[in-house]
Structures are given as C-alpha cells and as structure tokens.
Amino acid sequence: MHFLSDELDSYVTQHSENEPELLAQLNKETHQKILAPRMLSGHFQGRVLSILSKIIHPTTILEVGTYTGYATLCLAEGLAENGTIDTLDNEEELFDFQRKYFDKTIWAKQITQHLGEALDIIPKLTKKYDLVFVDADKENYINYFHLIVPMMNKGGIILSDNVLWSGKVLEEVRSNDITTQILLEYNRLLKQDPRVETILLPIRDGLTVSRVL
C-alpha cells in the first residue's frame, strides 16, 4: 500500500498535520475490532482528504464506500455550513459503528448513511455534488464514474482511491485479474475523458484528483 520507504513515510507523516484525537480512536478501534483494517484511509491520507476538502469547501459531498467512517469525517472537516454528506456502504454490520463516531462530531446531523449497493443508490440521489470520494469495489469504478459525472457541479472534484493497486498497474496482468484490468481501464478513462482534467497522486495506494469541466 505504500511506495515510500518506512523512514520517508514516517518523516512525511511527522511533518504533516496531526491526526485528530477522535480519528485516532476510530483508527485504533477499527484495527482492534474490524476485518481488513488496511482499508482505512489512515493518518496521512486522511489529512490529505481533509485539506483538499477545506480548499474546496463543498456544500455537498458524496462518498462511495464508507467502511468505518474515517474518510467521511476527514472530508467533513471542510464541509460548508449547512452542507451535507451522503455516504454509501453495503456492509450492514458496520452501520452502527460508523454512526457511533459520526454522532460524536458537530457534523452528525449533516451525514446521511445509505445502506445498500451503490449502483442502486446513486441513481436515486437528487443532489448536485461538489466533492465525491470513490473508495468502494474497484470493479465498478467505471460504472460509478459514468453515473457520478452528470451529478457534479461544474468545477467539482472526484477523488478516486487505490488507483495504483499496490503497484499491480505496472505488472503483467493475469487474465483472471479482473480488478487490475478494470483499474487500468479506469486510469485511462480519467486521463482521456474530455469531461474532466486529472492528476494521479502517488499517495498511499494512489489517489486521483479529477476536476469536472
């Protein structure tokens, strides 16, 4: 998941903003109680999400893939007054875990959880979004993109996580490795689609920033 040496990664983290106490608690409890804690955005990427959200100052945020809510709360830090977050996940057993932490923040009433398949939920949303974070099942990234772009405000930002896929995008792809094949296609799409301008940042497992034109 990391392409920097441990020493350099530690230096970068130490010279970035500190992890807020509540998020440190969420991070710890996720590692203690939840399967696959590596899916958590974590301290450094969380601070990246936070500062991008603060720069954008969105009124509407859509998150595809809540997991335990760490990234949700990082994005909420830049939310405009009376702004809203719609966060989608299909893991029912994580719903109460997420809510517990959401309810400890000033954004509790601004965060709406949607339980179910994102491909079913997204078409039913009626908002126009300023900021979207895509971090769910990678095999649907292209489907999500085509659904989301028409729902974006002009100048809105789409963030896509895990686009370097542990470096597999540089390796010979096995015929049965559908996920890597789709991520390669997705990365080409973000580069070539005339509706967006894109930069791929080698942060953690790869984070793409796409601005809707």
Side-chain angles (χ1 to χ4, degrees), residues 80-124:
E81 186 177 358
N82 299 320
T84 61
I85 299 179
D86 292 293
T87 184
L88 286 54
D89 206 283
N90 64 0
E91 297 291 341
E92 185 174 358
E93 63 270 22
L94 294 178
F95 191 91
D96 291 339
F97 185 101
Q98 300 158 5
R99 192 76 253 172
K100 177 178 71 172
Y101 279 93
F102 295 162
D103 285 345
K104 293 181 179 182
T105 74
I106 60 173
W107 308 290
K109 294 181 179 179
Q110 296 165 269
I111 301 173
T112 300
Q113 296 161 276
H114 300 265
L115 183 62
E117 297 299 325
L119 290 178
D120 296 328
I121 296 170
I122 293 173
K124 298 176 183 177

mmCIF file of all heavy atoms in Angstrom, residues 80-124:
data_model
loop_
_atom_site.group_PDB
_atom_site.id
_atom_site.type_symbol
_atom_site.label_atom_id
_atom_site.label_comp_id
_atom_site.label_asym_id
_atom_site.label_seq_id
_atom_site.Cartn_x
_atom_site.Cartn_y
_atom_site.Cartn_z
ATOM 1 N N ALA A 80 -19.016 22.984 4.027
ATOM 2 C CA ALA A 80 -19.605 24.313 4.208
ATOM 3 C C ALA A 80 -20.689 24.260 5.278
ATOM 4 O O ALA A 80 -21.265 23.201 5.554
ATOM 5 C CB ALA A 80 -20.190 24.810 2.892
ATOM 6 N N GLU A 81 -20.979 25.416 5.883
ATOM 7 C CA GLU A 81 -22.045 25.482 6.868
ATOM 8 C C GLU A 81 -23.351 25.009 6.233
ATOM 9 O O GLU A 81 -23.691 25.392 5.113
ATOM 10 C CB GLU A 81 -22.200 26.912 7.380
ATOM 11 C CG GLU A 81 -23.191 27.051 8.519
ATOM 12 C CD GLU A 81 -23.269 28.467 9.054
ATOM 13 O OE1 GLU A 81 -22.521 29.335 8.555
ATOM 14 O OE2 GLU A 81 -24.074 28.702 9.969
ATOM 15 N N ASN A 82 -24.052 24.149 6.930
ATOM 16 C CA ASN A 82 -25.297 23.549 6.435
ATOM 17 C C ASN A 82 -25.076 22.625 5.241
ATOM 18 O O ASN A 82 -26.031 22.258 4.552
ATOM 19 C CB ASN A 82 -26.326 24.627 6.067
ATOM 20 C CG ASN A 82 -26.711 25.490 7.254
ATOM 21 O OD1 ASN A 82 -26.861 24.987 8.365
ATOM 22 N ND2 ASN A 82 -26.838 26.787 7.026
ATOM 23 N N GLY A 83 -23.825 22.232 4.992
ATOM 24 C CA GLY A 83 -23.540 21.279 3.935
ATOM 25 C C GLY A 83 -23.948 19.870 4.325
ATOM 26 O O GLY A 83 -24.300 19.603 5.488
ATOM 27 N N THR A 84 -23.919 18.957 3.363
ATOM 28 C CA THR A 84 -24.365 17.587 3.618
ATOM 29 C C THR A 84 -23.391 16.576 3.030
ATOM 30 O O THR A 84 -22.707 16.848 2.039
ATOM 31 C CB THR A 84 -25.750 17.323 3.006
ATOM 32 O OG1 THR A 84 -25.683 17.499 1.582
ATOM 33 C CG2 THR A 84 -26.794 18.259 3.591
ATOM 34 N N ILE A 85 -23.366 15.415 3.655
ATOM 35 C CA ILE A 85 -22.596 14.274 3.148
ATOM 36 C C ILE A 85 -23.537 13.091 2.990
ATOM 37 O O ILE A 85 -24.260 12.733 3.925
ATOM 38 C CB ILE A 85 -21.453 13.883 4.106
ATOM 39 C CG1 ILE A 85 -20.466 15.034 4.275
ATOM 40 C CG2 ILE A 85 -20.738 12.629 3.588
ATOM 41 C CD1 ILE A 85 -19.331 14.718 5.238
ATOM 42 N N ASP A 86 -23.529 12.498 1.815
ATOM 43 C CA ASP A 86 -24.195 11.219 1.588
ATOM 44 C C ASP A 86 -23.095 10.171 1.489
ATOM 45 O O ASP A 86 -22.226 10.256 0.608
ATOM 46 C CB ASP A 86 -25.008 11.247 0.291
ATOM 47 C CG ASP A 86 -26.205 12.168 0.382
ATOM 48 O OD1 ASP A 86 -27.118 11.863 1.154
ATOM 49 O OD2 ASP A 86 -26.212 13.210 -0.316
ATOM 50 N N THR A 87 -23.118 9.199 2.382
ATOM 51 C CA THR A 87 -22.087 8.171 2.356
ATOM 52 C C THR A 87 -22.726 6.797 2.190
ATOM 53 O O THR A 87 -23.710 6.467 2.861
ATOM 54 C CB THR A 87 -21.187 8.245 3.608
ATOM 55 O OG1 THR A 87 -20.129 7.277 3.488
ATOM 56 C CG2 THR A 87 -21.951 8.049 4.893
ATOM 57 N N LEU A 88 -22.205 6.008 1.267
ATOM 58 C CA LEU A 88 -22.825 4.753 0.832
ATOM 59 C C LEU A 88 -21.959 3.556 1.203
ATOM 60 O O LEU A 88 -20.734 3.578 1.005
ATOM 61 C CB LEU A 88 -22.998 4.742 -0.694
ATOM 62 C CG LEU A 88 -24.077 5.601 -1.359
ATOM 63 C CD1 LEU A 88 -23.986 7.062 -0.967
ATOM 64 C CD2 LEU A 88 -23.975 5.461 -2.876
ATOM 65 N N ASP A 89 -22.611 2.522 1.716
ATOM 66 C CA ASP A 89 -21.896 1.276 2.000
ATOM 67 C C ASP A 89 -22.904 0.128 2.041
ATOM 68 O O ASP A 89 -24.078 0.345 2.364
ATOM 69 C CB ASP A 89 -21.148 1.363 3.334
ATOM 70 C CG ASP A 89 -19.949 0.429 3.374
ATOM 71 O OD1 ASP A 89 -20.148 -0.784 3.565
ATOM 72 O OD2 ASP A 89 -18.809 0.913 3.210
ATOM 73 N N ASN A 90 -22.435 -1.071 1.738
ATOM 74 C CA ASN A 90 -23.333 -2.227 1.742
ATOM 75 C C ASN A 90 -23.077 -3.186 2.902
ATOM 76 O O ASN A 90 -23.646 -4.263 2.960
ATOM 77 C CB ASN A 90 -23.243 -2.997 0.414
ATOM 78 C CG ASN A 90 -21.871 -3.597 0.169
ATOM 79 O OD1 ASN A 90 -20.958 -3.446 0.980
ATOM 80 N ND2 ASN A 90 -21.714 -4.289 -0.952
ATOM 81 N N GLU A 91 -22.210 -2.769 3.845
ATOM 82 C CA GLU A 91 -21.890 -3.622 4.990
ATOM 83 C C GLU A 91 -22.769 -3.240 6.179
ATOM 84 O O GLU A 91 -22.472 -2.298 6.917
ATOM 85 C CB GLU A 91 -20.410 -3.481 5.345
ATOM 86 C CG GLU A 91 -19.452 -3.938 4.257
ATOM 87 C CD GLU A 91 -19.482 -5.437 4.045
ATOM 88 O OE1 GLU A 91 -19.961 -6.160 4.950
ATOM 89 O OE2 GLU A 91 -19.013 -5.899 2.990
ATOM 90 N N GLU A 92 -23.848 -3.982 6.364
ATOM 91 C CA GLU A 92 -24.816 -3.652 7.418
ATOM 92 C C GLU A 92 -24.185 -3.688 8.802
ATOM 93 O O GLU A 92 -24.541 -2.885 9.684
ATOM 94 C CB GLU A 92 -25.998 -4.628 7.352
ATOM 95 C CG GLU A 92 -27.117 -4.314 8.313
ATOM 96 C CD GLU A 92 -28.323 -5.214 8.121
ATOM 97 O OE1 GLU A 92 -28.292 -6.069 7.210
ATOM 98 O OE2 GLU A 92 -29.296 -5.062 8.891
ATOM 99 N N GLU A 93 -23.229 -4.605 9.013
ATOM 100 C CA GLU A 93 -22.641 -4.749 10.342
ATOM 101 C C GLU A 93 -21.776 -3.555 10.739
ATOM 102 O O GLU A 93 -21.426 -3.397 11.914
ATOM 103 C CB GLU A 93 -21.811 -6.042 10.429
ATOM 104 C CG GLU A 93 -20.610 -6.086 9.502
ATOM 105 C CD GLU A 93 -20.937 -6.679 8.142
ATOM 106 O OE1 GLU A 93 -22.125 -6.664 7.755
ATOM 107 O OE2 GLU A 93 -20.008 -7.158 7.474
ATOM 108 N N LEU A 94 -21.421 -2.684 9.771
ATOM 109 C CA LEU A 94 -20.612 -1.507 10.085
ATOM 110 C C LEU A 94 -21.455 -0.262 10.335
ATOM 111 O O LEU A 94 -20.929 0.772 10.759
ATOM 112 C CB LEU A 94 -19.620 -1.222 8.947
ATOM 113 C CG LEU A 94 -18.533 -2.269 8.709
ATOM 114 C CD1 LEU A 94 -17.674 -1.869 7.518
ATOM 115 C CD2 LEU A 94 -17.676 -2.449 9.959
ATOM 116 N N PHE A 95 -22.754 -0.343 10.077
ATOM 117 C CA PHE A 95 -23.621 0.834 10.130
ATOM 118 C C PHE A 95 -23.590 1.512 11.501
ATOM 119 O O PHE A 95 -23.390 2.725 11.607
ATOM 120 C CB PHE A 95 -25.059 0.429 9.770
ATOM 121 C CG PHE A 95 -25.988 1.581 9.539
ATOM 122 C CD1 PHE A 95 -26.156 2.112 8.268
ATOM 123 C CD2 PHE A 95 -26.720 2.128 10.583
ATOM 124 C CE1 PHE A 95 -27.027 3.177 8.042
ATOM 125 C CE2 PHE A 95 -27.594 3.189 10.369
ATOM 126 C CZ PHE A 95 -27.740 3.714 9.092
ATOM 127 N N ASP A 96 -23.777 0.732 12.567
ATOM 128 C CA ASP A 96 -23.810 1.298 13.916
ATOM 129 C C ASP A 96 -22.427 1.788 14.348
ATOM 130 O O ASP A 96 -22.315 2.777 15.088
ATOM 131 C CB ASP A 96 -24.338 0.270 14.915
ATOM 132 C CG ASP A 96 -25.817 -0.024 14.710
ATOM 133 O OD1 ASP A 96 -26.507 0.809 14.094
ATOM 134 O OD2 ASP A 96 -26.276 -1.087 15.151
ATOM 135 N N PHE A 97 -21.380 1.096 13.920
ATOM 136 C CA PHE A 97 -20.008 1.521 14.221
ATOM 137 C C PHE A 97 -19.764 2.912 13.632
ATOM 138 O O PHE A 97 -19.255 3.810 14.308
ATOM 139 C CB PHE A 97 -19.022 0.509 13.639
ATOM 140 C CG PHE A 97 -17.580 0.768 13.990
ATOM 141 C CD1 PHE A 97 -16.953 0.040 14.986
ATOM 142 C CD2 PHE A 97 -16.837 1.739 13.326
ATOM 143 C CE1 PHE A 97 -15.615 0.271 15.315
ATOM 144 C CE2 PHE A 97 -15.508 1.980 13.641
ATOM 145 C CZ PHE A 97 -14.896 1.246 14.644
ATOM 146 N N GLN A 98 -20.140 3.091 12.379
ATOM 147 C CA GLN A 98 -19.988 4.391 11.721
ATOM 148 C C GLN A 98 -20.762 5.465 12.483
ATOM 149 O O GLN A 98 -20.240 6.550 12.781
ATOM 150 C CB GLN A 98 -20.509 4.323 10.288
ATOM 151 C CG GLN A 98 -19.825 3.328 9.390
ATOM 152 C CD GLN A 98 -20.694 2.941 8.203
ATOM 153 O OE1 GLN A 98 -21.779 3.484 8.007
ATOM 154 N NE2 GLN A 98 -20.230 1.988 7.413
ATOM 155 N N ARG A 99 -22.026 5.148 12.789
ATOM 156 C CA ARG A 99 -22.904 6.138 13.416
ATOM 157 C C ARG A 99 -22.380 6.571 14.771
ATOM 158 O O ARG A 99 -22.517 7.740 15.163
ATOM 159 C CB ARG A 99 -24.312 5.539 13.557
ATOM 160 C CG ARG A 99 -25.395 6.530 13.927
ATOM 161 C CD ARG A 99 -25.767 7.375 12.718
ATOM 162 N NE ARG A 99 -25.287 8.745 12.799
ATOM 163 C CZ ARG A 99 -25.371 9.608 11.784
ATOM 164 N NH1 ARG A 99 -25.893 9.265 10.634
ATOM 165 N NH2 ARG A 99 -24.909 10.812 11.903
ATOM 166 N N LYS A 100 -21.789 5.640 15.503
ATOM 167 C CA LYS A 100 -21.256 5.962 16.828
ATOM 168 C C LYS A 100 -20.247 7.098 16.745
ATOM 169 O O LYS A 100 -20.271 8.028 17.574
ATOM 170 C CB LYS A 100 -20.607 4.715 17.452
ATOM 171 C CG LYS A 100 -19.971 4.968 18.807
ATOM 172 C CD LYS A 100 -19.400 3.695 19.398
ATOM 173 C CE LYS A 100 -18.148 3.230 18.653
ATOM 174 N NZ LYS A 100 -17.478 2.104 19.350
ATOM 175 N N TYR A 101 -19.387 7.007 15.741
ATOM 176 C CA TYR A 101 -18.369 8.058 15.593
ATOM 177 C C TYR A 101 -18.938 9.321 14.958
ATOM 178 O O TYR A 101 -18.564 10.442 15.341
ATOM 179 C CB TYR A 101 -17.175 7.524 14.810
ATOM 180 C CG TYR A 101 -16.247 6.731 15.687
ATOM 181 C CD1 TYR A 101 -16.373 5.354 15.802
ATOM 182 C CD2 TYR A 101 -15.267 7.357 16.444
ATOM 183 C CE1 TYR A 101 -15.537 4.617 16.632
ATOM 184 C CE2 TYR A 101 -14.425 6.644 17.285
ATOM 185 C CZ TYR A 101 -14.562 5.271 17.378
ATOM 186 O OH TYR A 101 -13.739 4.557 18.214
ATOM 187 N N PHE A 102 -19.836 9.181 14.011
ATOM 188 C CA PHE A 102 -20.456 10.363 13.409
ATOM 189 C C PHE A 102 -21.164 11.198 14.483
ATOM 190 O O PHE A 102 -21.108 12.430 14.467
ATOM 191 C CB PHE A 102 -21.457 9.963 12.326
ATOM 192 C CG PHE A 102 -20.865 9.282 11.123
ATOM 193 C CD1 PHE A 102 -21.662 8.552 10.252
ATOM 194 C CD2 PHE A 102 -19.506 9.361 10.857
ATOM 195 C CE1 PHE A 102 -21.130 7.934 9.132
ATOM 196 C CE2 PHE A 102 -18.950 8.731 9.741
ATOM 197 C CZ PHE A 102 -19.772 8.019 8.880
ATOM 198 N N ASP A 103 -21.825 10.502 15.412
ATOM 199 C CA ASP A 103 -22.612 11.181 16.434
ATOM 200 C C ASP A 103 -21.749 11.895 17.476
ATOM 201 O O ASP A 103 -22.264 12.660 18.294
ATOM 202 C CB ASP A 103 -23.556 10.201 17.133
ATOM 203 C CG ASP A 103 -24.751 9.836 16.259
ATOM 204 O OD1 ASP A 103 -25.000 10.541 15.263
ATOM 205 O OD2 ASP A 103 -25.429 8.835 16.579
ATOM 206 N N LYS A 104 -20.455 11.653 17.464
ATOM 207 C CA LYS A 104 -19.542 12.341 18.382
ATOM 208 C C LYS A 104 -19.023 13.654 17.797
ATOM 209 O O LYS A 104 -18.216 14.337 18.440
ATOM 210 C CB LYS A 104 -18.355 11.427 18.719
ATOM 211 C CG LYS A 104 -18.729 10.195 19.533
ATOM 212 C CD LYS A 104 -17.497 9.351 19.835
ATOM 213 C CE LYS A 104 -17.864 8.117 20.665
ATOM 214 N NZ LYS A 104 -16.670 7.305 20.999
ATOM 215 N N THR A 105 -19.473 14.014 16.601
ATOM 216 C CA THR A 105 -18.959 15.196 15.921
ATOM 217 C C THR A 105 -20.048 16.241 15.714
ATOM 218 O O THR A 105 -21.243 15.963 15.857
ATOM 219 C CB THR A 105 -18.383 14.822 14.539
ATOM 220 O OG1 THR A 105 -19.475 14.539 13.634
ATOM 221 C CG2 THR A 105 -17.464 13.605 14.625
ATOM 222 N N ILE A 106 -19.619 17.424 15.310
ATOM 223 C CA ILE A 106 -20.561 18.516 15.028
ATOM 224 C C ILE A 106 -21.302 18.292 13.716
ATOM 225 O O ILE A 106 -22.259 19.011 13.415
ATOM 226 C CB ILE A 106 -19.837 19.872 14.988
ATOM 227 C CG1 ILE A 106 -18.764 19.879 13.882
ATOM 228 C CG2 ILE A 106 -19.227 20.200 16.345
ATOM 229 C CD1 ILE A 106 -18.119 21.232 13.660
ATOM 230 N N TRP A 107 -20.869 17.295 12.936
ATOM 231 C CA TRP A 107 -21.495 17.047 11.627
ATOM 232 C C TRP A 107 -22.512 15.913 11.672
ATOM 233 O O TRP A 107 -22.995 15.470 10.634
ATOM 234 C CB TRP A 107 -20.420 16.704 10.591
ATOM 235 C CG TRP A 107 -19.311 17.700 10.541
ATOM 236 C CD1 TRP A 107 -19.363 18.982 10.072
ATOM 237 C CD2 TRP A 107 -17.963 17.493 11.001
ATOM 238 N NE1 TRP A 107 -18.137 19.587 10.207
ATOM 239 C CE2 TRP A 107 -17.256 18.697 10.776
ATOM 240 C CE3 TRP A 107 -17.292 16.411 11.570
ATOM 241 C CZ2 TRP A 107 -15.920 18.848 11.107
ATOM 242 C CZ3 TRP A 107 -15.946 16.563 11.912
ATOM 243 C CH2 TRP A 107 -15.281 17.768 11.678
ATOM 244 N N ALA A 108 -22.861 15.446 12.850
ATOM 245 C CA ALA A 108 -23.713 14.264 12.985
ATOM 246 C C ALA A 108 -24.995 14.361 12.160
ATOM 247 O O ALA A 108 -25.368 13.409 11.457
ATOM 248 C CB ALA A 108 -24.055 14.034 14.459
ATOM 249 N N LYS A 109 -25.680 15.500 12.229
ATOM 250 C CA LYS A 109 -26.953 15.654 11.536
ATOM 251 C C LYS A 109 -26.774 15.938 10.044
ATOM 252 O O LYS A 109 -27.761 15.917 9.289
ATOM 253 C CB LYS A 109 -27.772 16.761 12.183
ATOM 254 C CG LYS A 109 -28.208 16.435 13.611
ATOM 255 C CD LYS A 109 -29.050 17.552 14.206
ATOM 256 C CE LYS A 109 -29.486 17.202 15.624
ATOM 257 N NZ LYS A 109 -30.290 18.301 16.235
ATOM 258 N N GLN A 110 -25.537 16.198 9.632
ATOM 259 C CA GLN A 110 -25.276 16.512 8.222
ATOM 260 C C GLN A 110 -24.844 15.285 7.421
ATOM 261 O O GLN A 110 -24.751 15.348 6.206
ATOM 262 C CB GLN A 110 -24.207 17.602 8.126
ATOM 263 C CG GLN A 110 -24.638 18.935 8.729
ATOM 264 C CD GLN A 110 -23.465 19.876 8.949
ATOM 265 O OE1 GLN A 110 -22.864 19.887 10.001
ATOM 266 N NE2 GLN A 110 -23.140 20.646 7.924
ATOM 267 N N ILE A 111 -24.575 14.188 8.125
ATOM 268 C CA ILE A 111 -24.107 12.963 7.478
ATOM 269 C C ILE A 111 -25.260 11.970 7.373
ATOM 270 O O ILE A 111 -25.832 11.551 8.383
ATOM 271 C CB ILE A 111 -22.940 12.322 8.260
ATOM 272 C CG1 ILE A 111 -21.765 13.294 8.362
ATOM 273 C CG2 ILE A 111 -22.510 11.019 7.586
ATOM 274 C CD1 ILE A 111 -20.649 12.802 9.269
ATOM 275 N N THR A 112 -25.599 11.595 6.144
ATOM 276 C CA THR A 112 -26.649 10.606 5.902
ATOM 277 C C THR A 112 -26.020 9.313 5.403
ATOM 278 O O THR A 112 -25.307 9.305 4.397
ATOM 279 C CB THR A 112 -27.656 11.116 4.856
ATOM 280 O OG1 THR A 112 -28.263 12.320 5.334
ATOM 281 C CG2 THR A 112 -28.740 10.075 4.600
ATOM 282 N N GLN A 113 -26.268 8.232 6.104
ATOM 283 C CA GLN A 113 -25.785 6.917 5.696
ATOM 284 C C GLN A 113 -26.804 6.258 4.776
ATOM 285 O O GLN A 113 -28.007 6.302 5.042
ATOM 286 C CB GLN A 113 -25.568 6.027 6.923
ATOM 287 C CG GLN A 113 -24.487 6.500 7.876
ATOM 288 C CD GLN A 113 -24.631 5.871 9.247
ATOM 289 O OE1 GLN A 113 -25.408 6.354 10.081
ATOM 290 N NE2 GLN A 113 -23.912 4.773 9.484
ATOM 291 N N HIS A 114 -26.313 5.660 3.707
ATOM 292 C CA HIS A 114 -27.161 4.916 2.775
ATOM 293 C C HIS A 114 -26.643 3.481 2.747
ATOM 294 O O HIS A 114 -25.477 3.239 2.395
ATOM 295 C CB HIS A 114 -27.094 5.525 1.373
ATOM 296 C CG HIS A 114 -27.542 6.955 1.301
ATOM 297 N ND1 HIS A 114 -28.835 7.303 0.967
ATOM 298 C CD2 HIS A 114 -26.864 8.112 1.519
ATOM 299 C CE1 HIS A 114 -28.931 8.629 0.971
ATOM 300 N NE2 HIS A 114 -27.753 9.138 1.296
ATOM 301 N N LEU A 115 -27.489 2.540 3.101
ATOM 302 C CA LEU A 115 -27.097 1.135 3.162
ATOM 303 C C LEU A 115 -27.617 0.395 1.939
ATOM 304 O O LEU A 115 -28.820 0.399 1.661
ATOM 305 C CB LEU A 115 -27.650 0.497 4.437
ATOM 306 C CG LEU A 115 -27.273 -0.964 4.704
ATOM 307 C CD1 LEU A 115 -25.763 -1.109 4.857
ATOM 308 C CD2 LEU A 115 -27.994 -1.468 5.960
ATOM 309 N N GLY A 116 -26.711 -0.227 1.195
ATOM 310 C CA GLY A 116 -27.105 -0.981 0.009
ATOM 311 C C GLY A 116 -26.042 -0.894 -1.066
ATOM 312 O O GLY A 116 -24.923 -0.432 -0.824
ATOM 313 N N GLU A 117 -26.401 -1.335 -2.257
ATOM 314 C CA GLU A 117 -25.459 -1.330 -3.372
ATOM 315 C C GLU A 117 -25.409 0.069 -3.997
ATOM 316 O O GLU A 117 -26.439 0.658 -4.331
ATOM 317 C CB GLU A 117 -25.879 -2.359 -4.419
ATOM 318 C CG GLU A 117 -25.866 -3.799 -3.919
ATOM 319 C CD GLU A 117 -24.486 -4.244 -3.464
ATOM 320 O OE1 GLU A 117 -23.484 -3.805 -4.074
ATOM 321 O OE2 GLU A 117 -24.408 -5.036 -2.510
ATOM 322 N N ALA A 118 -24.208 0.570 -4.171
ATOM 323 C CA ALA A 118 -24.037 1.934 -4.681
ATOM 324 C C ALA A 118 -24.664 2.120 -6.050
ATOM 325 O O ALA A 118 -25.216 3.183 -6.342
ATOM 326 C CB ALA A 118 -22.550 2.283 -4.720
ATOM 327 N N LEU A 119 -24.587 1.107 -6.903
ATOM 328 C CA LEU A 119 -25.164 1.227 -8.242
ATOM 329 C C LEU A 119 -26.679 1.388 -8.194
ATOM 330 O O LEU A 119 -27.270 1.950 -9.134
ATOM 331 C CB LEU A 119 -24.790 0.015 -9.098
ATOM 332 C CG LEU A 119 -23.322 -0.096 -9.515
ATOM 333 C CD1 LEU A 119 -23.088 -1.372 -10.312
ATOM 334 C CD2 LEU A 119 -22.883 1.126 -10.314
ATOM 335 N N ASP A 120 -27.301 0.930 -7.118
ATOM 336 C CA ASP A 120 -28.741 1.107 -6.953
ATOM 337 C C ASP A 120 -29.065 2.453 -6.302
ATOM 338 O O ASP A 120 -30.076 3.078 -6.627
ATOM 339 C CB ASP A 120 -29.322 -0.016 -6.080
ATOM 340 C CG ASP A 120 -29.183 -1.386 -6.724
ATOM 341 O OD1 ASP A 120 -29.239 -1.470 -7.965
ATOM 342 O OD2 ASP A 120 -29.008 -2.368 -5.979
ATOM 343 N N ILE A 121 -28.201 2.890 -5.396
ATOM 344 C CA ILE A 121 -28.471 4.101 -4.620
ATOM 345 C C ILE A 121 -28.163 5.373 -5.404
ATOM 346 O O ILE A 121 -28.951 6.329 -5.391
ATOM 347 C CB ILE A 121 -27.658 4.080 -3.311
ATOM 348 C CG1 ILE A 121 -28.104 2.910 -2.427
ATOM 349 C CG2 ILE A 121 -27.817 5.404 -2.562
ATOM 350 C CD1 ILE A 121 -27.197 2.673 -1.240
ATOM 351 N N ILE A 122 -27.029 5.404 -6.089
ATOM 352 C CA ILE A 122 -26.583 6.636 -6.752
ATOM 353 C C ILE A 122 -27.640 7.216 -7.696
ATOM 354 O O ILE A 122 -27.903 8.426 -7.656
ATOM 355 C CB ILE A 122 -25.241 6.406 -7.480
ATOM 356 C CG1 ILE A 122 -24.134 6.141 -6.462
ATOM 357 C CG2 ILE A 122 -24.877 7.616 -8.345
ATOM 358 C CD1 ILE A 122 -22.804 5.723 -7.081
ATOM 359 N N PRO A 123 -28.279 6.405 -8.555
ATOM 360 C CA PRO A 123 -29.276 6.988 -9.465
ATOM 361 C C PRO A 123 -30.482 7.610 -8.756
ATOM 362 O O PRO A 123 -31.204 8.410 -9.357
ATOM 363 C CB PRO A 123 -29.708 5.794 -10.328
ATOM 364 C CG PRO A 123 -28.580 4.826 -10.244
ATOM 365 C CD PRO A 123 -28.054 4.973 -8.852
ATOM 366 N N LYS A 124 -30.693 7.260 -7.490
ATOM 367 C CA LYS A 124 -31.835 7.789 -6.747
ATOM 368 C C LYS A 124 -31.517 9.094 -6.020
ATOM 369 O O LYS A 124 -32.410 9.755 -5.510
ATOM 370 C CB LYS A 124 -32.318 6.740 -5.734
ATOM 371 C CG LYS A 124 -32.811 5.454 -6.375
ATOM 372 C CD LYS A 124 -33.174 4.417 -5.325
ATOM 373 C CE LYS A 124 -33.590 3.094 -5.977
ATOM 374 N NZ LYS A 124 -33.869 2.046 -4.961
#
